[in-house]
Amino acid sequence: MDRLLIEGGARLDGELRASGAKNSASVMFAAALLADDPVIITNVPHLRDITTMIELLGSLGVEVVIDEKMNVEIHANTIKRFTAPYDLVKTMRASFNVLGPMLAHYGQAEVSLPGGCAIGPRPVDQHLRGLEALGAKIEMEDGYVKAKVDKRLKGARIYFDISTVGGTEHIMMAATLAEGETVLENCAREPEIVDLADCLNAMGAQVEGAGTDTITIQGVERLGGCEHRVIADRVETGTYLIAAAATGGRVKVRDTNPAHLDLLLNKLKEAGAEISLGDEWIELDMKGERPRAISLVTAPYPEFPTDLQAQIIALNCVAEGTGTIKETVFENRFMHVHEMNRMGANIRLEDNNTIAIVEGVDHLKGAPVMANDLRASVSLVIAGLVAEGTTVVDRIYHIDRGYEQVEEKLSNLGASIKRVASS
Ligand code: UD1
């Protein structure tokens, strides 16, 4: 198992390119199962979660061709099996979303209940309720969801009880091949949902309203192939901006979309950052200053993303003043806090572990740390960058799930970071 070794203290300074969004690309691989012709997805990041999705498609017998630029061509009509096994689905929750597309296209699917990050129970009730409303017959057996439909799914009006990104995407995909109209209400509005709708429409689907809370889908009889470029990863972009701000540094992120990071950019300005923007780039400059503490509440888009909460806590650890962070999207998403306290941070959890109050300290001290979720792991890397001495971040397979070439990108910005194999 690899670890990251970080010598703290360097001020980040330089430029980098944002990778394609993991959360868009992975669900588009599931969407490709709806098509009769090859679907080509470009700007795909080279990540473990993507490899897992490719393996999953492979296990269904689907041919996938990848070129050296990570353009991925998926030939869904070569499918031979309709069962997505536990071994693959457990490592990545988004892979559960192959259920709806397989069912809508082929009338049958068996998919293991998901695993994914260790952040709360993360149920799939909204997914299953949505598919049932579209006419699916669903049984649970030995940890598998077994779904069937006679002929086609049927359009329906479905109201989501909570804002769910994966649930909205899942039912939106399934409804594209249903008979008649589907209206989805109280939908999540994340940019990745809009990106997925654009991809589906390029395949010949008729999806309207993605990015608002009501999505209307006119079902079509078949979907064809398309070529679609994945949007920039807003969470990766945000992570590097926060890392630069925490170190008092400067960074320019290219090939990204500033419109997707409005709230973060405002928060970073509150922290004292100077921000300049172009159509496809963001530059942040702290001019060597210590950041001021940030307070925020995480909530579904367009509010502050839960996927950037841990990184902001890392910044707050060394900021001037006290920041209060409330997590409302996931239960149990403050596991990084205990590791940061071991590095000398002053964070206390309140209100049944839903609020973290961070009193900034002058310095963190390097330590061996580990985390068991993707964003928590990268927040420990940021903590390592601002700590005195050496930090060893263990279990970085979590980081490899979602951050392309993290040590190369950070080294290019001047960080002292290297990957070592655990003995
Ligand atoms: C997606 C993102 C993840 C991000 C999250 C919230 C992908 C691959 N992952 O995850 O990075 O942190 O959105 O922005 O896109 N819930 C239910 N029942 C359901 C579905 C969800 O109760 O059927 C709950 C979850 O437990 C959670 C909340 O709803 O508390 C939000 O989850 P959801 O938006 O579905 O997250 P994901 O799609 O899994």
Side-chain angles (χ1 to χ4, degrees), residues 93 96-97 99-100 113-114 121-136 138 140 145 157-174 182-188:
R93 180 182 162 84
F96 181 69
N97 279 11
L99 177 68
L113 283 164
R122 301 188 90 176
V124 286
D125 56 307
Q126 300 298 310
H127 300 235
L128 299 180
R129 210 173 53 81
L131 292 175
E132 277 175 337
L134 294 175
I138 293 185
M140 309 289 260
V145 178
R157 182 171 281 269
I158 297 163
Y159 184 91
F160 291 106
D161 296 330
I162 43 148
S163 175
T164 160
V165 178
T168 302
E169 292 170 340
H170 201 167
I171 308 308
M172 182 170 87
M173 289 190 287
T182 296
V183 180
L184 305 179
E185 293 174 309
N186 196 28
C187 295

Side-chain angles (χ1 to χ4, degrees), residues 231-232 234 237 255-261 279-282:
I231 58 170
R234 64 194 165 100
T237 299
D255 294 341
T256 192
N257 187 343
H260 293 162
L261 284 158
D279 281 348
E280 293 192 345
W281 56 267
I282 304 171

Side-chain angles (χ1 to χ4, degrees), residues 22-24 26-27 49 92-94 97 119-128 162-167 169 188 190 192 234-235 299-301 305-307 328-331 333 374-375:
K22 163 182 94 76
N23 287 353
S24 272
S26 47
V27 73
D49 270 7
M92 186 197 171
R93 180 182 162 84
N97 279 11
I119 45 177
R122 301 188 90 176
V124 286
D125 56 307
Q126 300 298 310
H127 300 235
L128 299 180
I162 43 148
S163 175
T164 160
V165 178
E169 292 170 340
E190 271 66 3
E192 294 74 21
R234 64 194 165 100
V235 180
Y301 192 84
T306 174
D307 283 351
T328 73
V329 179
F330 288 112
E331 296 168 31
R333 207 178 196 185
L374 166 58
R375 308 302 170 187

Side-chain angles (χ1 to χ4, degrees), residues 148-418:
K148 278 208 164 116
V149 64
D150 297 331
K151 298 193 188 123
R152 286 171 75 187
L153 294 170
K154 285 215 169 26
R157 182 171 281 269
I158 297 163
Y159 184 91
F160 291 106
D161 296 330
I162 43 148
S163 175
T164 160
V165 178
T168 302
E169 292 170 340
H170 201 167
I171 308 308
M172 182 170 87
M173 289 190 287
T176 57
L177 285 178
E179 206 180 313
E181 182 180 87
T182 296
V183 180
L184 305 179
E185 293 174 309
N186 196 28
C187 295
R189 294 179 281 164
E190 271 66 3
E192 294 74 21
I193 297 173
V194 179
D195 198 22
L196 174 62
D198 289 344
C199 176
L200 291 167
N201 285 341
M203 289 158 62
Q206 293 183 21
V207 179
E208 269 180 29
T212 74
D213 61 5
T214 306
I215 301 178
T216 307
I217 302 126
Q218 306 296 341
V220 294
E221 278 184 25
R222 75 177 292 277
L223 291 173
C226 73
E227 181 169 332
H228 181 84
R229 184 181 164 83
V230 174
I231 58 170
D233 195 315
R234 64 194 165 100
V235 180
E236 189 209 28
T237 299
T239 300
Y240 286 105
L241 294 174
I242 297 167
T247 64
R250 185 197 72 88
V251 70
K252 181 171 183 178
V253 187
R254 288 180 283 103
D255 294 341
T256 192
N257 187 343
H260 293 162
L261 284 158
D262 256 3
L263 212 52
L264 173 71
L265 298 180
N266 284 337
K267 288 290 169 193
L268 289 171
K269 280 183 203 158
E270 277 175 34
E274 213 168 78
I275 307 264
S276 4
L277 305 178
D279 281 348
E280 293 192 345
W281 56 267
I282 304 171
E283 185 167 347
L284 170 143
D285 196 348
M286 283 299 289
K287 299 196 180 295
E289 296 293 320
R290 181 181 180 189
R292 290 190 291 272
I294 296 171
S295 291
L296 55 87
V297 179
T298 68
Y301 192 84
E303 301 301 327
F304 196 90
T306 174
D307 283 351
L308 290 172
Q309 176 258 103
Q311 300 86 320
I312 291 287
I313 293 204
L315 174 142
N316 276 349
C317 284
V318 291
E320 206 180 308
T322 303
T324 303
I325 308 288
K326 184 171 165 67
E327 171 64 51
T328 73
V329 179
F330 288 112
E331 296 168 31
N332 196 22
R333 207 178 196 185
F334 280 129
M335 286 166 295
H336 40 288
V337 158
H338 309 292
E339 296 298 278
M340 288 174 189
N341 280 343
R342 289 181 49 243
M343 296 173 73
N346 182 357
I347 313 171
R348 59 180 197 279
L349 294 178
E350 288 190 353
D351 213 16
N352 212 8
N353 292 350
T354 58
I355 296 180
I357 297 170
V358 192
E359 309 226 13
V361 295
D362 285 343
H363 294 287
L364 295 180
K365 286 233 180 309
V369 288
M370 67 180 165
N372 41 9
D373 101 51
L374 166 58
R375 308 302 170 187
S377 305
V378 85
S379 74
L380 294 175
V381 171
I382 297 177
L385 291 173
V386 294
E388 278 175 351
T390 310
T391 296
V392 182
V393 183
D394 211 336
R395 292 201 188 163
I396 58 161
Y397 54 84
H398 290 293
I399 297 186
D400 294 334
R401 284 186 47 205
Y403 289 88
E404 192 173 44
Q405 299 178 310
V406 67
E407 66 271 29
E408 282 91 337
K409 285 189 176 184
L410 283 171
S411 300
N412 288 341
L413 298 176
S416 168
I417 179 168
K418 66 176 182 206

